Amino acid sequence: MKLQRSFYNRNTIEVAKELLGKILVHETNGKILSGMIIEDEAYIGEIDKACHCYDGKITKRTEVMFGQPGISYVYLIYGMYDCMNVVTEEEGKGSAVLIRGLKPLDGINDMCLNRYGKSKDKLTKKQIKNLSNGPGKLCKALNITKNENKLDLTKDKLYIIDDNYIDFTIKESKRINIDYAEEAKDFMWRFVLEKE
DNA sequence: CCCATGATGCCCT
DNA sequence: GGGCATCATGGGT
């Protein structure tokens, strides 16, 4: 079942935790590419110096985070890598969840082509392991780019479904690569799915 | 295993 | 003009 607006219109930490085990799907070029969300991070503008929209900073880039929940926020980082977020909470609250890792499910060979320009049987074990285990990598694998910014995950060809997978525990830790964020760098807002 | 580094472009001041 | 929610690579231990 596709997740609806009400799922996203909640506390960002809760949404981040509950997104683990869900399936991110992108219908692109006539193909269905999907993977289970196994790692994510919460960003909450009101109190979070690591958030792009900290302290109500509305710019052309960040305005989407203040809008409707259930919309995608895709941005380019380090000049090379796209990262995908899901906007959370009611309109007016700048917040989102960064998707940081996927376990590949459907369209694996196409993901290999997107990432490495080679089919799966030509990849090393290391390349297969690294197919979608990072925020930039998963966007490349699923062909998620700036074109997929501001899509409505309840209506468009990018969405998340609930496959009722609950057989896991959640590990909480500090977020990655936000050393500049003063006290916020220690918030335990990174969530990783761990098999029981 | 760990750490250091370069690539590269958009946003914002 | 500075900084950045990353990744792949290469060298050392």
Side-chain angles (χ1 to χ4, degrees):
Chain A
M1 190 186 72
K2 191 184 284 192
L3 297 179
Q4 297 303 304
R5 190 90 55 216
S6 56
F7 178 92
Y8 303 105
N9 188 13
R10 294 183 296 151
N11 174 277
T12 304
I13 308 264
E14 280 179 37
V15 175
K17 288 182 181 175
E18 291 194 27
L19 277 175
L20 296 178
K22 303 294 192 288
I23 317 292
L24 176 63
V25 184
H26 189 201
E27 299 179 15
T28 173
N29 297 326
K31 307 270 176 61
I32 292 186
L33 307 180
S34 75
M36 178 181 291
I37 298 171
I38 57 173
E39 178 183 346
D40 62 22
E41 288 177 352
Y43 288 85
I44 305 175
E46 282 180 344
I47 55 171
D48 179 7
K49 288 176 182 165
C51 186
H52 291 161
C53 61
Y54 171 62
D55 203 21
K57 191 173 92 171
I58 302 181
T59 67
K60 192 142 181 94
R61 182 172 72 148
T62 65
E63 63 182 1
V64 60
M65 297 180 82
F66 293 92
Q68 269 197 124
I71 306 295
S72 64
Y73 166 42
V74 181
Y75 69 92
L76 186 72
I77 188 66
Y78 301 114
M80 271 172 281
Y81 301 104
D82 292 297
C83 292
M84 178 189 167
N85 298 250
V86 176
V87 174
T88 58
E89 311 216 15
E90 64 195 76
E91 284 194 54
K93 298 209 172 184
S95 52
V97 174
L98 170 68
I99 311 296
R100 289 192 56 90
L102 294 181
K103 175 188 169 194
L105 294 174
D106 296 309
I108 292 179
N109 201 53
D110 284 294
M111 293 187 208
C112 295
L113 292 169
N114 290 340
R115 279 272 286 140
Y116 302 109
K118 295 179 181 176
S119 56
K120 189 182 175 196
D121 56 351
K122 300 223 170 63
L123 300 183
T124 63
K125 281 200 166 136
K126 186 175 180 179
Q127 285 176 314
I128 293 171
K129 177 174 168 285
N130 291 333
L131 194 55
S132 57
N133 61 347
K137 302 179 208 179
L138 71 91
C139 283
K140 187 109 187 277
L142 264 62
N143 192 29
I144 295 168
T145 67
K146 282 197 77 172
N147 292 332
E148 279 69 41
N149 191 27
K150 298 188 180 181
L151 293 187
D152 187 337
L153 303 184
T154 70
K155 290 178 182 161
D156 290 317
K157 293 192 172 185
L158 181 65
Y159 51 91
I160 301 174
I161 60 176
D162 186 355
D163 205 20
N164 296 308
Y165 179 63
I166 53 169
D167 187 24
F168 58 86
T169 57
I170 297 174
K171 183 177 170 192
E172 305 181 4
S173 58
K174 295 178 186 179
R175 293 172 294 173
I176 304 289
N177 287 331
I178 52 159
D179 284 349
Y180 60 87
E182 302 178 12
E183 79 283 349
K185 76 179 167 42
D186 295 322
F187 294 173
M188 301 291 276
W189 286 358
R190 175 175 176 237
F191 305 100
V192 179
L193 181 154
E194 300 229 311
K195 282 186 188 143
E196 305 228 290

